[in-house]
Amino acid sequence: MLVKAVKHRYVSLAIFIAVFIIVIGFLQSGILRFVFFPSVPANSMKVTLQMPQGTSYQKTHEYALRIEQAALQVNEEYRKQWGKDVIAALEVEAKADNEARIMAELVSSTERDVTSVALANRWRQAIGELPGVKALSVDASAGFSGLPVNIELQSDDLDQLRLAADEIKLELLTFDGVFDVRDTFDAGGPEVDIRITREGQALGLGQAELARQVRQAFFGAEIQRLQRGRHEVRVYVRFPKEQRESLETLRSMWVQLPDGSKVPFDVVGTIVESTGVSTIKRINRHRVVNVQADVDKTRTSSSAVVNTIEQEVMEQVLARHPAVKYRLSGEAEEQEENTNSLLIGTLVMLILVYAALAIPLKSYAQPLIIMR
């Protein structure tokens, strides 16, 4: 075989190049998928539940129990199929009123015929849709790699940042194998923004004074302090509770002007209702929102999803929202860093091998011939 290959060296070279092109074509077309960070099954599963700010702990607890029941349902299914449990223990942990974590410890991998990744996928299906959830993720992989899809958006324009994140999330939902699409935009509760009108400014009223009077009406104005034993009691005066719970009270309240006269609130102020932001994340003084998603790596790869988003989606999104910039984070960032490290390591190794051959051979050319 070797003699024939040497005798027909040009045919051998052509066959080698053809096979190389075919392999590269398989990779580019997706027939042969490349997964840089494969899902390595762990001996446990974890579900992280995050509800919007202001959600009652009863609602969060209700959803956490629903997720726990879904795990018990999955365990019962496999018990009927194989006659033994796959979940050894369940733990529900509440980090805050709007956050919960449900952890499932699995029996040893030698005692079950299904991987934790497959169990996690079935658990996710059993949970179903949870209305009003901000973020829900199921993890059953070992290791500490980043999120499969993590696109970091930066902008000083909060509205454009929100719209760009929503558009990218909608595009991610169209991918087969992509699930648990979410963002890190942490919306707070409803807010009322009070602004002074031009009429109010003309009457000598300032923004701070208007805000002070509204605060005194709803929060209260301290009018007296009483000494009761060792404790000091502060006395506040404000609207009754029933009136403080309605915006109509604000619209109909009277505001005192600097000259002592009073005018209705609608004359000197306006009300703008909006949704606040509970937390603001900044990098290099720019607001940042991350669009994140998980990927079923048996159906697609995170690199294929990210590459498609970057080549086909981001250009259009940035054209509609020019104030927004982006960068790739998560597995894409780690893959780039690891690839660069591998290239540098390979170059250093080749230099060391060349030096190890050049010294005993006392030649610069012969090591190159050998290394070829």
Side-chain angles (χ1 to χ4, degrees):
M1 180 67 70
L2 180 61
V3 174
K4 291 182 178 180
V6 174
K7 182 178 180 181
H8 305 283
R9 55 185 180 276
Y10 295 113
V11 175
S12 302
L13 179 61
I15 292 174
F16 172 79
I17 295 175
V19 171
F20 179 76
I21 293 174
I22 291 172
V23 171
I24 296 298
F26 282 165
L27 288 172
Q28 293 296 325
S29 63
I31 298 175
L32 182 63
R33 292 192 298 109
F34 172 74
V35 179
F36 198 88
F37 294 102
S39 296
V40 180
N43 286 323
S44 62
M45 302 183 296
K46 178 178 69 174
V47 174
T48 303
L49 170 68
Q50 185 176 7
M51 303 292 290
Q53 288 289 337
T55 303
S56 64
Y57 75 89
Q58 293 95 336
K59 190 65 175 179
T60 306
H61 186 63
E62 175 190 341
Y63 278 178
L65 291 180
R66 182 171 167 179
I67 295 171
E68 183 185 24
Q69 288 300 319
L72 295 175
Q73 175 187 336
V74 172
N75 184 64
E76 184 65 24
E77 291 176 0
Y78 282 95
R79 181 193 298 167
K80 291 180 179 179
Q81 185 175 357
W82 285 302
K84 52 187 177 182
D85 293 328
V86 292
I87 297 179
L90 274 171
E91 179 181 348
V92 179
E93 177 184 282
K95 300 175 62 179
D97 286 350
N98 64 320
E99 295 182 20
R101 185 170 58 181
I102 301 88
M103 291 166 287
E105 190 69 28
L106 304 178
V107 299
S108 175
S109 58
T110 58
E111 301 177 14
R112 51 184 164 87
D113 301 322
V114 61
T115 66
S116 60
V117 176
L119 280 172
N121 291 335
R122 180 66 191 97
W123 191 8
R124 183 67 181 86
Q125 295 173 2
I127 293 171
E129 293 296 327
L130 299 176
V133 170
K134 182 181 184 295
L136 179 71
S137 62
V138 183
D139 184 23
S141 300
F144 300 95
S145 61
L147 291 167
V149 179
N150 192 358
I151 303 172
E152 184 181 287
L153 305 177
Q154 299 182 7
S155 178
D156 292 327
D157 190 325
L158 186 59
D159 292 333
Q160 288 198 25
L161 201 60
R162 193 198 309 260
L163 292 173
D166 289 341
E167 291 179 12
I168 296 173
K169 287 193 295 182
L170 289 175
E171 292 292 339
L172 285 172
L173 290 172
T174 63
F175 285 85
D176 181 41
V178 176
F179 58 97
D180 290 343
V181 179
R182 58 200 181 272
D183 62 44
T184 58
F185 182 79
D186 201 357
E191 293 183 351
V192 174
D193 187 10
I194 299 174
R195 301 173 185 176
I196 193 168
T197 63
R198 293 183 179 179
E199 291 82 356
Q201 293 176 341
L203 291 172
L205 192 66
Q207 180 74 43
E209 176 61 22
L210 178 61
R212 185 186 66 82
Q213 292 191 39
V214 172
R215 182 180 187 276
Q216 289 177 344
F218 286 84
F219 178 78
E222 184 179 340
I223 60 171
Q224 190 178 9
R225 294 190 183 187
L226 302 175
Q227 194 70 30
R228 184 174 294 173
R230 297 173 54 188
H231 303 285
E232 185 179 65
V233 179
R234 300 184 181 187
V235 181
Y236 288 84
V237 59
R238 58 185 179 183
F239 287 147
K241 181 179 180 181
E242 296 77 12
Q243 296 184 19
R244 297 198 307 269
E245 294 176 350
S246 173
L247 281 178
E248 290 301 320
T249 303
L250 176 59
R251 293 188 176 96
S252 62
M253 70 173 286
W254 290 79
V255 178
Q256 186 173 359
L257 299 176
D259 60 4
S261 60
K262 295 182 179 180
V263 295
F265 174 85
D266 286 339
V267 175
V268 296
T270 58
I271 300 174
V272 178
E273 299 183 48
S274 61
T275 301
V277 179
S278 59
T279 57
I280 298 176
K281 180 182 177 182
R282 292 182 182 271
I283 296 179
N284 296 328
R285 298 181 297 175
H286 296 291
R287 280 187 172 180
V288 172
V289 171
N290 291 69
V291 178
Q292 302 169 344
D294 291 319
V295 173
D296 184 355
K297 295 181 180 178
T298 61
R299 298 158 65 184
T300 185
S301 65
S302 58
S303 58
V305 174
V306 170
N307 289 338
T308 303
I309 288 291
E310 192 172 22
Q311 295 172 8
E312 301 179 7
V313 176
M314 292 309 302
E315 183 178 354
Q316 301 175 11
V317 172
L318 297 181
R320 288 190 292 267
H321 310 288
V324 177
K325 298 180 180 179
Y326 84 98
R327 78 178 188 91
L328 300 179
S329 186
E331 286 190 3
E333 183 180 23
E334 294 184 17
Q335 179 175 336
E336 183 179 1
E337 293 176 355
N338 291 337
T339 302
N340 293 336
S341 298
L342 287 173
L343 291 176
I344 294 174
T346 302
L347 180 61
V348 172
M349 180 193 67
L350 291 175
I351 293 175
L352 293 176
V353 170
Y354 176 83
L357 293 173
I359 292 174
L361 294 175
K362 297 180 180 180
S363 170
Y364 293 111
Q366 290 183 11
L368 295 176
I369 298 174
I370 296 173
M371 292 173 65
R372 287 177 61 190

